[in-house]
Short mmCIF file of all heavy atoms in Angstrom, two decimals:
data_model
loop_
_atom_site.label_atom_id
_atom_site.label_comp_id
_atom_site.label_asym_id
_atom_site.label_seq_id
_atom_site.Cartn_x
_atom_site.Cartn_y
_atom_site.Cartn_z
N GLY A 429 105.77 -187.98 -218.04
CA GLY A 429 106.54 -188.55 -216.95
C GLY A 429 105.85 -188.27 -215.59
O GLY A 429 104.81 -187.76 -215.53
N LEU A 430 106.52 -188.67 -214.48
CA LEU A 430 106.07 -188.57 -213.22
C LEU A 430 106.46 -187.24 -212.56
O LEU A 430 107.43 -186.72 -212.87
CB LEU A 430 106.47 -189.60 -212.23
CG LEU A 430 105.95 -191.11 -212.65
CD1 LEU A 430 106.65 -192.16 -211.69
CD2 LEU A 430 104.48 -191.16 -212.36
N PRO A 431 105.61 -186.66 -211.66
CA PRO A 431 105.88 -185.46 -211.03
C PRO A 431 107.14 -185.72 -210.09
O PRO A 431 107.49 -186.76 -209.73
CB PRO A 431 104.65 -185.14 -210.15
CG PRO A 431 103.49 -185.85 -210.79
CD PRO A 431 104.14 -187.09 -211.45
N LEU A 432 107.81 -184.59 -209.69
CA LEU A 432 108.83 -184.56 -208.77
C LEU A 432 108.31 -185.01 -207.42
O LEU A 432 107.27 -184.59 -207.09
CB LEU A 432 109.50 -183.22 -208.65
CG LEU A 432 110.16 -182.69 -210.00
CD1 LEU A 432 110.55 -181.19 -209.86
CD2 LEU A 432 111.30 -183.55 -210.51
N GLY A 433 109.10 -185.74 -206.62
CA GLY A 433 108.73 -186.12 -205.32
C GLY A 433 107.89 -187.34 -205.29
O GLY A 433 107.36 -187.82 -204.11
N VAL A 434 107.74 -188.04 -206.36
CA VAL A 434 106.99 -189.38 -206.43
C VAL A 434 107.96 -190.58 -206.41
O VAL A 434 107.70 -191.50 -205.62
CB VAL A 434 106.03 -189.38 -207.56
CG1 VAL A 434 105.35 -190.74 -207.71
CG2 VAL A 434 105.10 -188.30 -207.57
N ALA A 435 108.81 -190.64 -207.46
CA ALA A 435 109.70 -191.81 -207.54
C ALA A 435 110.94 -191.40 -208.13
O ALA A 435 111.13 -191.15 -209.38
CB ALA A 435 109.02 -192.91 -208.47
N ALA A 436 112.04 -191.10 -207.35
CA ALA A 436 113.24 -190.62 -207.79
C ALA A 436 114.05 -191.53 -208.78
O ALA A 436 114.91 -190.95 -209.45
CB ALA A 436 114.07 -190.07 -206.63
N ASP A 437 113.82 -192.77 -208.64
CA ASP A 437 114.68 -193.76 -209.31
C ASP A 437 114.31 -194.03 -210.74
O ASP A 437 115.05 -194.67 -211.54
CB ASP A 437 114.76 -195.08 -208.56
CG ASP A 437 115.44 -194.94 -207.22
OD1 ASP A 437 116.28 -194.01 -207.08
OD2 ASP A 437 115.09 -195.63 -206.31
N LEU A 438 113.05 -193.54 -211.17
CA LEU A 438 112.69 -193.84 -212.51
C LEU A 438 113.29 -192.86 -213.52
O LEU A 438 113.47 -191.62 -213.30
CB LEU A 438 111.12 -193.71 -212.59
CG LEU A 438 110.37 -194.75 -211.75
CD1 LEU A 438 108.81 -194.39 -212.06
CD2 LEU A 438 110.71 -196.12 -212.37
N ALA A 439 113.70 -193.40 -214.62
CA ALA A 439 114.37 -192.64 -215.67
C ALA A 439 113.38 -191.68 -216.37
O ALA A 439 112.25 -191.96 -216.45
CB ALA A 439 114.99 -193.52 -216.71
N ARG A 440 113.90 -190.48 -216.69
CA ARG A 440 113.02 -189.42 -217.36
C ARG A 440 113.59 -189.28 -218.83
O ARG A 440 114.78 -189.09 -218.99
CB ARG A 440 113.12 -188.10 -216.61
CG ARG A 440 112.60 -188.26 -215.22
CD ARG A 440 112.59 -186.91 -214.56
NE ARG A 440 112.11 -187.03 -213.14
CZ ARG A 440 110.84 -187.07 -212.88
NH1 ARG A 440 109.92 -187.09 -213.77
NH2 ARG A 440 110.45 -187.23 -211.56
N PRO A 441 112.61 -189.38 -219.68
CA PRO A 441 113.15 -189.28 -221.18
C PRO A 441 113.36 -187.70 -221.48
O PRO A 441 112.84 -186.77 -220.97
CB PRO A 441 111.84 -189.75 -221.94
CG PRO A 441 110.70 -189.55 -220.98
CD PRO A 441 111.23 -189.64 -219.64
N ASP A 442 114.18 -187.50 -222.56
CA ASP A 442 114.34 -186.27 -223.25
C ASP A 442 113.63 -186.24 -224.57
O ASP A 442 113.41 -187.22 -225.19
CB ASP A 442 115.82 -185.99 -223.46
CG ASP A 442 116.56 -185.58 -222.21
OD1 ASP A 442 116.40 -184.42 -221.73
OD2 ASP A 442 117.28 -186.45 -221.64
N HIS A 443 113.20 -185.04 -225.06
CA HIS A 443 112.50 -184.85 -226.27
C HIS A 443 113.09 -183.75 -227.02
O HIS A 443 113.55 -182.75 -226.35
CB HIS A 443 110.96 -184.54 -225.93
CG HIS A 443 110.34 -185.57 -224.96
ND1 HIS A 443 110.01 -186.83 -225.34
CD2 HIS A 443 110.06 -185.44 -223.72
CE1 HIS A 443 109.45 -187.45 -224.28
NE2 HIS A 443 109.47 -186.53 -223.26
N ARG A 444 112.96 -183.78 -228.29
CA ARG A 444 113.63 -182.78 -229.17
C ARG A 444 112.63 -182.44 -230.31
O ARG A 444 111.97 -183.30 -230.81
CB ARG A 444 114.97 -183.22 -229.73
CG ARG A 444 116.08 -183.37 -228.72
CD ARG A 444 117.32 -184.00 -229.28
NE ARG A 444 118.50 -183.97 -228.39
CZ ARG A 444 118.69 -184.92 -227.42
NH1 ARG A 444 117.83 -185.93 -227.32
NH2 ARG A 444 119.70 -184.81 -226.63
N GLU A 445 112.66 -181.15 -230.66
CA GLU A 445 111.85 -180.59 -231.71
C GLU A 445 112.57 -179.52 -232.48
O GLU A 445 113.01 -178.58 -231.80
CB GLU A 445 110.55 -180.18 -231.21
CG GLU A 445 109.54 -179.72 -232.28
CD GLU A 445 108.87 -180.77 -233.01
OE1 GLU A 445 108.87 -181.94 -232.58
OE2 GLU A 445 108.34 -180.50 -234.15
N SER A 446 112.60 -179.55 -233.78
CA SER A 446 113.16 -178.52 -234.49
C SER A 446 112.22 -177.33 -234.47
O SER A 446 111.00 -177.46 -234.83
CB SER A 446 113.42 -178.92 -235.97
OG SER A 446 113.92 -177.94 -236.75
N VAL A 447 112.93 -176.09 -234.31
CA VAL A 447 111.98 -174.92 -234.12
C VAL A 447 112.51 -173.83 -235.13
O VAL A 447 113.66 -173.37 -235.07
CB VAL A 447 112.03 -174.29 -232.72
CG1 VAL A 447 111.26 -173.08 -232.52
CG2 VAL A 447 111.52 -175.40 -231.74
N PRO A 448 111.64 -173.40 -236.09
CA PRO A 448 112.13 -172.43 -237.08
C PRO A 448 112.40 -171.07 -236.34
O PRO A 448 111.91 -170.76 -235.23
CB PRO A 448 110.97 -172.35 -238.03
CG PRO A 448 110.12 -173.48 -237.80
CD PRO A 448 110.40 -173.84 -236.46
N VAL A 449 113.16 -170.18 -237.09
CA VAL A 449 113.41 -168.81 -236.51
C VAL A 449 112.09 -168.05 -236.55
O VAL A 449 111.16 -168.36 -237.40
CB VAL A 449 114.39 -168.09 -237.48
CG1 VAL A 449 114.35 -166.66 -237.23
CG2 VAL A 449 115.81 -168.71 -237.50
N ASP A 450 111.90 -167.24 -235.57
CA ASP A 450 110.74 -166.36 -235.32
C ASP A 450 109.58 -167.26 -234.80
O ASP A 450 108.33 -166.84 -235.03
CB ASP A 450 110.32 -165.55 -236.59
CG ASP A 450 109.54 -164.32 -236.22
OD1 ASP A 450 109.63 -163.87 -235.18
OD2 ASP A 450 108.71 -163.97 -237.08
N SER A 451 109.82 -168.40 -234.25
CA SER A 451 108.82 -169.24 -233.70
C SER A 451 108.62 -168.82 -232.17
O SER A 451 109.68 -168.31 -231.56
CB SER A 451 109.06 -170.76 -233.82
OG SER A 451 109.02 -171.14 -235.17
N THR A 452 107.64 -169.12 -231.52
CA THR A 452 107.44 -168.85 -230.06
C THR A 452 107.09 -170.21 -229.40
O THR A 452 106.13 -170.84 -229.72
CB THR A 452 106.27 -167.86 -229.87
OG1 THR A 452 106.59 -166.66 -230.64
CG2 THR A 452 106.26 -167.43 -228.44
N VAL A 453 107.74 -170.41 -228.31
CA VAL A 453 107.60 -171.50 -227.48
C VAL A 453 106.84 -171.07 -226.13
O VAL A 453 107.42 -170.08 -225.52
CB VAL A 453 108.79 -172.24 -227.12
CG1 VAL A 453 108.54 -173.43 -226.14
CG2 VAL A 453 109.47 -172.80 -228.35
N VAL A 454 105.72 -171.53 -225.87
CA VAL A 454 104.96 -171.10 -224.66
C VAL A 454 104.89 -172.28 -223.62
O VAL A 454 104.39 -173.36 -223.97
CB VAL A 454 103.45 -170.78 -225.14
CG1 VAL A 454 102.65 -170.34 -223.86
CG2 VAL A 454 103.48 -169.63 -226.18
N LEU A 455 105.32 -171.92 -222.47
CA LEU A 455 105.26 -172.83 -221.30
C LEU A 455 104.25 -172.26 -220.32
O LEU A 455 104.16 -171.03 -220.20
CB LEU A 455 106.58 -173.03 -220.72
CG LEU A 455 107.78 -173.44 -221.59
CD1 LEU A 455 109.03 -173.55 -220.83
CD2 LEU A 455 107.47 -174.70 -222.39
N TYR A 456 103.51 -173.11 -219.63
CA TYR A 456 102.27 -172.61 -218.90
C TYR A 456 102.08 -173.64 -217.72
O TYR A 456 102.53 -174.73 -217.82
CB TYR A 456 101.12 -172.42 -219.69
CG TYR A 456 100.75 -173.67 -220.49
CD1 TYR A 456 99.84 -174.61 -219.98
CD2 TYR A 456 101.38 -173.92 -221.68
CE1 TYR A 456 99.52 -175.75 -220.66
CE2 TYR A 456 101.09 -175.09 -222.45
CZ TYR A 456 100.23 -175.95 -221.89
OH TYR A 456 100.01 -177.16 -222.61
N THR A 457 101.37 -173.24 -216.74
CA THR A 457 100.93 -174.16 -215.62
C THR A 457 99.43 -174.56 -215.94
O THR A 457 98.64 -173.89 -216.63
CB THR A 457 101.11 -173.57 -214.27
OG1 THR A 457 100.39 -172.31 -214.25
CG2 THR A 457 102.49 -173.27 -213.99
N ASP A 458 99.02 -175.61 -215.20
CA ASP A 458 97.66 -176.12 -215.48
C ASP A 458 96.58 -175.24 -214.94
O ASP A 458 95.46 -175.41 -215.39
CB ASP A 458 97.45 -177.52 -214.83
CG ASP A 458 97.73 -177.55 -213.33
OD1 ASP A 458 97.88 -176.32 -212.72
OD2 ASP A 458 97.77 -178.62 -212.71
N GLY A 459 96.86 -174.21 -214.06
CA GLY A 459 95.86 -173.24 -213.75
C GLY A 459 95.37 -172.46 -214.85
O GLY A 459 94.28 -171.82 -214.77
N LEU A 460 96.06 -172.53 -215.98
CA LEU A 460 95.62 -171.67 -217.21
C LEU A 460 94.57 -172.45 -217.97
O LEU A 460 93.86 -171.90 -218.82
CB LEU A 460 96.84 -171.40 -218.08
CG LEU A 460 96.82 -170.14 -218.88
CD1 LEU A 460 96.69 -168.90 -217.98
CD2 LEU A 460 98.09 -170.10 -219.79
N VAL A 461 94.51 -173.78 -217.85
CA VAL A 461 93.68 -174.57 -218.66
C VAL A 461 92.70 -175.51 -217.90
O VAL A 461 91.73 -176.01 -218.72
CB VAL A 461 94.50 -175.38 -219.64
CG1 VAL A 461 95.29 -174.52 -220.61
CG2 VAL A 461 95.54 -176.29 -218.80
N GLU A 462 92.84 -175.67 -216.74
CA GLU A 462 91.99 -176.72 -216.01
C GLU A 462 90.68 -176.05 -215.49
O GLU A 462 90.74 -174.94 -214.90
CB GLU A 462 92.72 -177.32 -214.86
CG GLU A 462 93.70 -178.47 -215.26
CD GLU A 462 94.24 -179.26 -214.18
OE1 GLU A 462 94.12 -178.75 -212.99
OE2 GLU A 462 94.72 -180.30 -214.40
#
Side-chain angles (χ1 to χ4, degrees):
L430 290 176
L432 301 170
V434 176
D437 296 331
L438 292 180
R440 299 185 179 279
D442 283 286
H443 311 283
R444 292 175 174 82
E445 180 78 18
S446 179
V447 177
V449 170
D450 204 28
S451 297
T452 305
V453 176
V454 178
L455 309 180
Y456 52 93
T457 56
D458 57 8
L460 209 63
V461 294
E462 282 191 345

